């Protein structure tokens, strides 16, 4: 019987209940807690990465009809650190992590790299606990929206490249990206970027890196102009 309310809530969000709960505890144990091989989540992360790539590859292959290069970019958009960290935050995975004092004191529970690695470790743990069927169910549930978006976008050019092409075609000029603000603690900064064309603001978006914020702002601008067509 699960007595830890954090686990109960996590199971509900994950859509899966572990038969062997020790696997979940291991998936949530960062190397800063213990550096001993087999006693932290690094081996599970390795396994989860492979399972994740297979499930995502299978999904985009079955649900799209593009070439290998586009399939690879679609998969990359789903299995990247930002995507995995976002999913981990939605599941409140950070609350379950076992961290060393150093990582704890520097906000490790919110660090994208730690959360993304732990998310992969959870996928590996689910695979060991419930086989490929369980892992596929969890991955499609947790990353389904990201997969839908990747398939919809078709793995084509990145959003900044698309916006550059649109601006050159429509206005004969290039878009400009301006940093509006930079907020939050050092380990989890939030950057807000504004896109302007000929001095007029077109879109504004935030992300955990300037690159992420620029991509989001570019995507907003592309979608706006596509709706007007």
């Amino acid at each position: 019987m699960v007595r830890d309310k954090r686990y109960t809530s996590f199971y509900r969000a994950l859509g899966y209940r572990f038969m062997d709960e020790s696997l979940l505890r291991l998936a949530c144990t960062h190397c800063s807690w213990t550096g001993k091989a087999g006693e932290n989540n690094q081996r599970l992360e390795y396994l989860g990465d492979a399972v994740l790539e297979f499930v995502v590859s299978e999904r985009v292959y079955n649900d799209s009809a593009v070439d290998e290069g586009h399939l690879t970019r679609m998969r990359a958009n789903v299995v990247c650190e930002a995507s995995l960290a976002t999913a981990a935050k939605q599941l409140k995975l950070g609350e379950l992590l076992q961290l060393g004092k150093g990582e704890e004191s520097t906000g490790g529970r919110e660090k994208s790299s730690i959360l993304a690695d732990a998310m992969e470790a959870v996928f590996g743990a689910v695979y060991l606990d419930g086989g490929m069927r369980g892992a596929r169910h969890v991955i499609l549930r947790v990353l389904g929206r990201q997969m839908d978006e990747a398939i919809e976008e078709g793995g084509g050019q990145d959003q900044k490249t698309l916006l550059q092409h649109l601006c050159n075609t429509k206005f004969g000029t290039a878009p400009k990206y301006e940093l509006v603000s930079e907020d939050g603690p050092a380990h989890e900064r939030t950057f807000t970027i504004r896109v302007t064309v000929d001095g007029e603001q077109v879109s504004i978006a935030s992300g955990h890196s300037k690159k992420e914020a620029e991509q989001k702002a570019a995507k907003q601008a592309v979608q706006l102009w596509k709706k007007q067509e």
Side-chain angles (χ1 to χ4, degrees), residues 59 63 78 143-153:
R59 168 72 198 284
D63 291 0
V78 178
L143 295 173
R145 180 180 59 80
Q146 288 92 323
M147 291 186 212
D148 290 341
E149 290 180 355
I151 291 169
E152 181 181 341
E153 293 172 3

Side-chain angles (χ1 to χ4, degrees), residues 53-135:
E53 288 221 354
F54 174 76
V55 172
V56 175
S57 297
E58 180 183 57
R59 168 72 198 284
V60 298
Y61 177 86
N62 287 334
D63 291 0
S64 61
V66 295
D67 61 30
E68 179 187 2
H70 286 77
L71 288 172
T72 299
R73 287 191 288 273
M74 289 161 67
R75 182 179 63 197
N77 289 338
V78 178
V79 304
C80 65
E81 179 181 299
S83 174
L84 292 170
T86 296
K89 289 176 182 179
Q90 291 172 342
L91 294 170
K92 298 183 178 179
L93 179 57
E95 296 180 7
L96 304 183
L97 297 180
Q98 296 188 99
L99 302 172
K101 291 182 179 179
E103 286 295 351
E104 189 75 69
S105 65
T106 56
R109 294 182 188 279
E110 295 296 322
K111 287 183 180 179
S112 293
S113 59
I114 291 178
L115 288 171
D117 290 347
M119 193 74 259
E120 287 186 327
V122 168
F123 294 150
V126 172
Y127 172 76
L128 291 179
D129 191 71
M132 183 56 78
R133 181 176 181 180

Side-chain angles (χ1 to χ4, degrees), residues 154-169:
Q157 296 172 302
D158 68 22
Q159 298 301 309
K160 290 182 67 176
T161 302
L162 289 174
L163 181 59
Q164 177 88 18
H165 176 73
L166 278 173
C167 287
N168 286 339
T169 302

Side-chain angles (χ1 to χ4, degrees), residues 160 163-165 167-168 173-177 195-198 225:
K160 290 182 67 176
L163 181 59
Q164 177 88 18
H165 176 73
C167 287
N168 286 339
T173 187
K176 291 185 178 180
Y177 297 86
V195 173
T196 61
V197 179
D198 280 340
W225 280 326

Side-chain angles (χ1 to χ4, degrees), residues 47 109 117 210 214 219:
L47 179 61
R109 294 182 188 279
D117 290 347
K210 291 181 181 179
E214 288 175 353
K219 182 177 180 179

